[in-house]
Coordinates of all heavy atoms in Angstrom, one line a residue:
F1 N 159.2 107.9 -3.6 CA 158.2 107.1 -4.3 C 157.3 107.9 -5.2 O 156.2 108.5 -4.8 CB 157.3 106.4 -3.3 CG 158.0 105.6 -2.2 CD1 158.5 106.1 -1.0 CD2 158.5 104.2 -2.6 CE1 159.2 105.5 -0.1 CE2 159.3 103.5 -1.6 CZ 159.5 104.2 -0.6
P2 N 157.7 108.2 -6.4 CA 157.0 109.2 -7.3 C 155.5 108.9 -7.5 O 154.7 109.8 -7.7 CB 157.7 109.0 -8.6 CG 159.1 108.6 -8.3 CD 158.8 107.7 -7.1
E3 N 155.1 107.7 -7.4 CA 153.7 107.3 -7.6 C 152.9 107.5 -6.3 O 151.6 107.4 -6.4 CB 153.6 105.9 -8.1 CG 154.4 105.7 -9.4 CD 153.9 106.4 -10.5 OE1 152.6 106.7 -10.7 OE2 154.7 106.9 -11.3
A4 N 153.5 107.9 -5.2 CA 152.7 108.0 -3.9 C 151.7 109.2 -4.0 O 152.0 110.2 -4.5 CB 153.7 108.1 -2.7
K5 N 150.6 108.9 -3.3 CA 149.5 109.9 -3.2 C 149.3 110.2 -1.7 O 149.5 109.4 -0.8 CB 148.3 109.4 -3.8 CG 148.4 109.1 -5.3 CD 147.1 108.7 -5.8 CE 147.2 108.3 -7.2 NZ 146.1 107.7 -7.9
P6 N 149.0 111.5 -1.3 CA 148.7 111.9 0.1 C 147.8 110.8 0.8 O 148.1 110.5 1.9 CB 148.2 113.4 -0.1 CG 148.8 113.8 -1.3 CD 148.8 112.7 -2.3
E7 N 146.8 110.5 0.1 CA 145.8 109.5 0.7 C 146.4 108.2 1.1 O 145.8 107.4 1.7 CB 144.5 109.5 0.0 CG 144.6 109.1 -1.4 CD 144.8 110.1 -2.5 OE1 145.4 111.1 -2.1 OE2 144.4 109.9 -3.6
D8 N 147.5 107.9 0.4 CA 148.2 106.6 0.6 C 149.4 106.6 1.4 O 150.3 105.7 1.3 CB 148.5 106.0 -0.9 CG 147.3 105.7 -1.7 OD1 146.3 105.4 -1.1 OD2 147.4 105.8 -2.9
L9 N 149.6 107.6 2.2 CA 150.8 107.9 2.9 C 151.2 106.8 3.8 O 152.3 106.4 3.8 CB 150.7 109.2 3.8 CG 151.8 109.6 4.7 CD1 153.1 109.8 3.8 CD2 151.7 110.8 5.6
L10 N 150.2 106.2 4.6 CA 150.5 105.1 5.4 C 151.1 103.9 4.8 O 152.1 103.4 5.3 CB 149.2 104.7 6.3 CG 149.5 103.6 7.2 CD1 150.4 104.0 8.4 CD2 148.2 103.2 7.9
S11 N 150.5 103.4 3.7 CA 151.0 102.3 2.9 C 152.4 102.6 2.4 O 153.3 101.9 2.3 CB 150.2 101.9 1.9 OG 150.0 102.9 1.0
T12 N 152.7 103.9 2.0 CA 153.9 104.4 1.5 C 155.1 104.3 2.6 O 156.2 103.8 2.4 CB 154.0 105.8 0.9 OG1 152.9 105.9 -0.1 CG2 155.3 106.2 0.3
V13 N 154.7 104.8 3.8 CA 155.7 104.7 5.0 C 156.0 103.4 5.3 O 157.2 103.0 5.5 CB 155.1 105.5 6.1 CG1 156.0 105.3 7.4 CG2 154.9 107.0 5.8
M14 N 155.1 102.4 5.3 CA 155.3 101.1 5.8 C 155.8 100.0 4.7 O 155.9 98.9 5.1 CB 153.9 100.6 6.4 CG 153.3 101.4 7.5 SD 154.6 101.7 8.8 CE 154.5 100.2 9.6
V15 N 155.8 100.5 3.5 CA 156.3 99.6 2.5 C 157.7 99.0 2.9 O 158.6 99.6 3.4 CB 156.5 100.3 1.0 CG1 157.4 101.4 1.1 CG2 156.8 99.1 0.0
P16 N 157.8 97.7 2.8 CA 159.0 97.0 3.4 C 160.1 97.0 2.2 O 159.8 97.3 1.1 CB 158.7 95.6 3.6 CG 157.6 95.3 2.7 CD 156.8 96.6 2.6
D17 N 161.3 96.8 2.6 CA 162.5 96.6 1.6 C 162.1 95.6 0.6 O 161.4 94.5 1.0 CB 163.8 96.4 2.2 CG 164.7 97.8 2.1 OD1 164.0 98.9 2.0 OD2 165.8 97.6 2.1
L18 N 162.6 95.6 -0.6 CA 162.3 94.5 -1.5 C 163.1 93.2 -1.2 O 162.6 92.2 -1.5 CB 162.6 95.0 -3.0 CG 161.7 96.2 -3.5 CD1 162.1 96.6 -4.8 CD2 160.3 95.8 -3.5
A19 N 164.3 93.4 -0.8 CA 165.2 92.3 -0.6 C 165.9 92.4 0.8 O 167.2 92.7 0.8 CB 166.1 92.1 -1.7
P20 N 165.2 92.3 1.9 CA 165.9 92.3 3.2 C 167.1 91.3 3.4 O 166.9 90.2 2.9 CB 164.9 92.1 4.2 CG 163.8 91.4 3.5 CD 163.8 91.9 2.1
Q21 N 168.2 91.7 3.7 CA 169.4 90.7 3.9 C 169.5 90.0 5.1 O 170.0 88.8 5.1 CB 170.7 91.5 3.7 CG 170.7 92.2 2.3 CD 170.7 91.3 1.1 OE1 171.4 90.3 1.1 NE2 169.8 91.6 0.2
Q22 N 169.0 90.4 6.2 CA 169.1 89.8 7.5 C 167.7 89.8 8.2 O 166.9 90.8 7.9 CB 169.9 90.6 8.5 CG 171.4 90.6 7.8 CD 172.3 89.2 8.0 OE1 171.8 88.4 8.8 NE2 173.2 89.1 7.1
P23 N 167.4 88.9 9.2 CA 166.2 89.0 9.9 C 166.0 90.4 10.6 O 167.0 90.9 11.2 CB 166.3 87.9 10.9 CG 167.4 86.9 10.4 CD 168.3 87.9 9.6
G24 N 164.8 91.0 10.3 CA 164.7 92.3 10.9 C 165.1 93.5 10.1 O 164.8 94.6 10.5
D25 N 165.6 93.2 8.9 CA 166.0 94.3 8.1 C 164.9 95.2 7.6 O 165.0 96.4 7.7 CB 166.9 93.8 6.8 CG 168.3 93.6 7.1 OD1 168.7 93.9 8.3 OD2 169.1 93.3 6.1
A26 N 163.8 94.6 7.3 CA 162.7 95.4 6.8 C 162.2 96.3 7.9 O 161.9 97.5 7.7 CB 161.5 94.6 6.3
V27 N 162.1 95.8 9.2 CA 161.7 96.7 10.2 C 162.7 97.8 10.5 O 162.3 99.0 10.6 CB 161.6 95.8 11.5 CG1 161.3 96.7 12.7 CG2 160.5 94.7 11.3
M28 N 164.0 97.6 10.6 CA 164.9 98.5 10.7 C 165.0 99.5 9.5 O 165.1 100.8 9.9 CB 166.3 98.0 10.9 CG 166.5 97.2 12.2 SD 166.2 98.2 13.6 CE 167.5 99.4 13.5
D29 N 164.7 99.1 8.4 CA 164.7 100.1 7.3 C 163.5 101.0 7.4 O 163.5 102.1 7.0 CB 164.8 99.4 6.0 CG 166.1 98.8 5.7 OD1 167.2 99.2 6.2 OD2 166.2 97.7 4.9
R30 N 162.3 100.5 7.8 CA 161.2 101.2 8.0 C 161.4 102.2 9.1 O 161.0 103.4 9.0 CB 160.1 100.3 8.3 CG 158.7 101.0 8.1 CD 157.6 99.9 8.5 NE 157.6 98.9 7.6 CZ 157.6 97.5 8.0 NH1 157.6 97.2 9.2 NH2 157.5 96.6 7.0
A31 N 162.1 101.8 10.1 CA 162.4 102.8 11.2 C 163.3 104.0 10.7 O 163.0 105.1 11.0 CB 163.2 102.1 12.4
S32 N 164.2 103.6 9.9 CA 165.2 104.6 9.2 C 164.3 105.5 8.3 O 164.6 106.7 8.3 CB 166.3 104.0 8.5 OG 167.1 103.2 9.2
R33 N 163.4 104.9 7.6 CA 162.5 105.7 6.7 C 161.8 106.8 7.5 O 161.6 107.9 7.1 CB 161.7 104.8 6.0 CG 161.0 105.5 4.8 CD 160.0 104.5 4.1 NE 160.9 103.3 3.5 CZ 160.6 102.1 3.6 NH1 159.4 101.8 4.3 NH2 161.2 101.1 3.2
I34 N 161.2 106.4 8.7 CA 160.5 107.3 9.6 C 161.4 108.3 10.1 O 161.1 109.5 10.2 CB 159.8 106.4 10.7 CG1 158.7 105.6 10.0 CG2 159.1 107.4 11.8 CD1 158.0 104.6 10.9
A35 N 162.7 107.9 10.5 CA 163.5 108.8 11.1 C 164.0 109.8 10.1 O 164.3 110.9 10.5 CB 164.7 108.0 11.7
G36 N 164.0 109.4 8.8 CA 164.4 110.3 7.8 C 163.5 111.6 7.7 O 163.8 112.7 7.2
V37 N 162.3 111.5 8.2 CA 161.3 112.7 8.2 C 161.7 113.8 9.1 O 161.5 114.9 9.0 CB 159.9 112.1 8.6 CG1 158.9 113.4 8.7 CG2 159.4 111.1 7.6
A38 N 162.7 113.4 10.1 CA 163.1 114.4 11.1 C 163.9 115.6 10.3 O 163.8 116.8 10.8 CB 164.0 113.8 12.1
K39 N 164.5 115.3 9.2 CA 165.2 116.4 8.5 C 164.3 117.4 8.0 O 164.5 118.5 8.0 CB 166.1 115.8 7.4 CG 167.2 114.9 7.8 CD 168.0 114.4 6.6 CE 169.1 113.4 7.0 NZ 169.9 112.9 5.8
T40 N 163.1 116.9 7.6 CA 162.0 117.8 7.0 C 161.5 118.7 8.1 O 161.3 120.0 7.9 CB 160.9 117.1 6.3 OG1 161.4 116.3 5.2 CG2 159.8 117.9 5.9
V41 N 161.4 118.1 9.4 CA 160.8 118.9 10.5 C 161.8 119.9 10.9 O 161.5 121.0 11.1 CB 160.4 117.9 11.7 CG1 160.0 118.7 12.8 CG2 159.5 116.8 11.1
L42 N 163.1 119.5 11.1 CA 164.1 120.4 11.4 C 164.3 121.5 10.4 O 164.7 122.7 10.8 CB 165.5 119.8 11.7 CG 165.5 118.8 12.9 CD1 166.9 117.8 12.7 CD2 165.6 119.4 14.1
A43 N 164.2 121.3 9.2 CA 164.3 122.3 8.1 C 163.3 123.4 8.3 O 163.4 124.5 7.9 CB 164.3 121.7 6.8

């Protein structure tokens, strides 16, 4: 999210998908987004 700012991190993390296809998709995609941070930690 090129426009994201450090002080807006929470809203950036929690932004839902634009077009969820199934019930719960936005929640699962948000979970995957959070899980993606693990690669940065492991690195």
Side-chain angles (χ1 to χ4, degrees):
F1 305 95
E3 302 300 321
K5 299 178 181 178
E7 59 266 27
D8 297 328
L9 178 61
L10 181 61
S11 59
T12 302
V13 172
M14 302 305 287
V15 63
D17 254 23
L18 295 177
Q21 299 297 309
Q22 300 286 339
D25 270 7
V27 173
M28 290 305 296
D29 287 338
R30 196 178 296 130
S32 298
R33 192 178 301 135
I34 292 171
V37 175
K39 292 182 180 179
T40 300
V41 181
L42 291 172

